[in-house]
Amino acid sequence: MKQKLTLLLLLFTVLTVANCKKEPLLITGSETMHTLLNVVAAGYAKKNSNIEVTVQGGGSFEGIEKLFEAKTDIAASSRPLTPEEQTQFERKGRFENVLIGYDGIAVVVNPANSVSKLTLEQISKIFSGEIKDWSQVGGKPGPIHVVLRNDKSGTAAYFETHILRQRDLGEKEYQTFKKKEFTNDSKVVADNDEMADLIEKDTASVGFMGMGSAQIQNKGKVKAVPYSKTGKDPFVEPSIQNVSERKYKLSRGLYLFYLSDRGKKIDEFITYITSEEGQAMVLKSGYLRSTLSTVEVEAIKP
């Protein structure tokens, strides 16, 4: 009798564990969006205990590649798809493209760096290697050490086009500088945390990362430099309020890409992150919610 009870108890335990097994949901891609998605995933898990959300980085290009190879459920990207990528996904099934927020790109230096402002043209020349000393942009004399993200970064791709090659100054400037390249003397890192660690240790270094990463995840390690597109317009610090009021010009959209015919769990997560609750979490993570007209800047305060 005792053996039967033991066997029944064991069978009950096995069945209970089997029934409690969570269904996995994998999101891969943008390092800029990594912390944001972890925050949203934690909120989502409280309401959907049967789903286990895992967020992996690697960069926007990585997420797009993994989605195309069916190795992730959702791709996170800090850049829109190219027309070629859009066509490829539409051939694979019912493709969806969702804007979940906005992020300002911050040019970051060591907190001890005395440089207090930079224009687009100055930044372009720093990252191309034309400006090599901090004294050329109002800092103390000393060589500039450029730090870049790897080629899988959506932030790096945006920065290369809009700042390095000066697209934000107009089509004429872009056509003039569209072949400009990052300096060969730069150091390349895999993600924002590695960049922040390097800049914290090296007072001569400069890099770029998402506004949320600079001012929340890596606060104290780096300093975001106020930015002006032309030098004639005001120099503005990257912040949720300044992006929402269109004062800070260096900003871009944050996207989730997925195939909607690949399971109910994907649609339910997208519904959650675009809901009022999900968008409040986007804001609290240091990013601007996708519904610009109803931004609640006060929500970032503890």
Side-chain angles (χ1 to χ4, degrees):
M1 183 68 177
K2 188 176 180 180
Q3 286 181 328
K4 288 183 178 180
L5 286 173
T6 302
L7 287 171
L8 286 172
L9 182 60
L10 180 62
L11 179 61
F12 176 77
T13 302
V14 169
L15 289 173
T16 300
V17 170
N19 288 333
C20 289
K21 187 177 180 180
K22 295 184 177 183
E23 186 177 6
L25 176 65
L26 179 60
I27 306 173
T28 308
S30 171
E31 290 289 343
T32 294
M33 299 167 66
H34 196 105
T35 300
L36 177 162
L37 289 169
N38 273 324
V39 170
V40 175
Y44 179 75
K46 291 178 181 179
K47 293 193 169 185
N48 300 270
S49 57
N50 61 319
I51 303 293
E52 183 175 12
V53 182
T54 301
V55 181
Q56 293 182 350
S60 299
F61 287 87
E62 180 82 3
I64 292 167
E65 288 174 2
K66 294 293 185 185
L67 181 62
F68 188 75
E69 295 169 357
K71 294 180 179 178
T72 192
D73 297 304
I74 299 172
S77 177
S78 58
R79 68 165 178 85
L81 292 179
T82 65
E84 293 77 16
E85 289 169 338
Q86 180 88 25
T87 300
Q88 285 181 314
F89 279 118
E90 288 173 351
R91 288 172 180 166
K92 294 184 75 68
R94 188 181 166 191
F95 175 73
E96 300 288 348
N97 178 341
V98 176
L99 175 69
I100 64 162
Y102 293 87
D103 182 33
I105 297 179
V107 176
V108 293
V109 297
N110 184 282
N113 194 315
S114 61
V115 168
S116 59
K117 58 185 181 180
L118 290 169
T119 66
L120 185 151
E121 185 178 5
Q122 287 174 323
I123 297 167
S124 175
K125 289 183 176 180
I126 287 171
F127 281 86
S128 67
E130 295 168 77
I131 292 179
K132 297 180 180 293
D133 195 285
W134 283 114
S135 62
Q136 294 176 262
V137 288
K140 295 178 180 179
I144 297 174
H145 299 158
V146 173
V147 187
L148 302 174
R149 287 287 309 281
N150 61 29
D151 60 6
K152 291 186 178 293
S153 165
T155 305
Y158 183 95
F159 190 92
E160 180 182 61
T161 299
H162 292 263
I163 302 301
L164 180 72
R165 296 175 178 169
Q166 303 186 26
R167 185 162 210 161
D168 280 6
L169 289 181
E171 189 61 26
K172 180 180 177 181
E173 287 79 2
Y174 177 66
Q175 290 301 321
T176 301
F177 299 108
K178 65 181 181 180
K179 293 185 179 180
K180 183 181 276 193
E181 299 292 341
F182 288 117
T183 175
N184 291 327
D185 294 330
S186 61
K187 291 184 179 180
V188 179
V189 297
D191 55 41
N192 291 329
D193 290 340
E194 187 180 349
M195 179 175 285
D197 289 342
L198 197 156
I199 292 174
E200 182 183 29
K201 295 172 184 175
D202 180 9
T203 57
S205 58
V206 60
F208 55 83
M209 62 180 63
M211 176 181 70
S213 183
Q215 298 197 334
I216 294 184
Q217 288 89 47
N218 291 296
K219 185 178 181 180
K221 291 184 176 182
V222 299
K223 177 179 77 173
V225 181
Y227 163 83
S228 170
K229 193 156 69 170
T230 65
K232 295 178 181 179
D233 49 316
F235 287 85
V236 180
E237 181 181 357
S239 70
I240 289 177
Q241 186 165 359
N242 286 337
V243 172
S244 71
E245 293 176 356
R246 311 298 200 278
K247 293 177 181 178
Y248 188 77
K249 306 295 186 182
L250 187 52
S251 60
R252 47 43 194 293
L254 304 176
Y255 304 89
L256 294 181
F257 306 134
Y258 63 102
L259 295 169
S260 62
D261 54 358
R262 302 301 166 89
K264 184 180 177 182
K265 63 182 181 182
I266 298 174
D267 292 326
E268 289 178 345
F269 181 82
I270 297 299
T271 298
Y272 180 78
I273 199 170
T274 54
S275 70
E276 275 299 311
E277 184 175 331
Q279 287 289 290
M281 290 183 176
V282 169
L283 189 61
K284 288 179 180 178
S285 299
Y287 301 87
L288 191 63
R289 53 188 290 164
S290 60
T291 49
L292 280 174
S293 59
T294 57
V295 170
E296 301 168 26
V297 176
E298 290 297 313
I300 67 172
K301 296 180 180 179

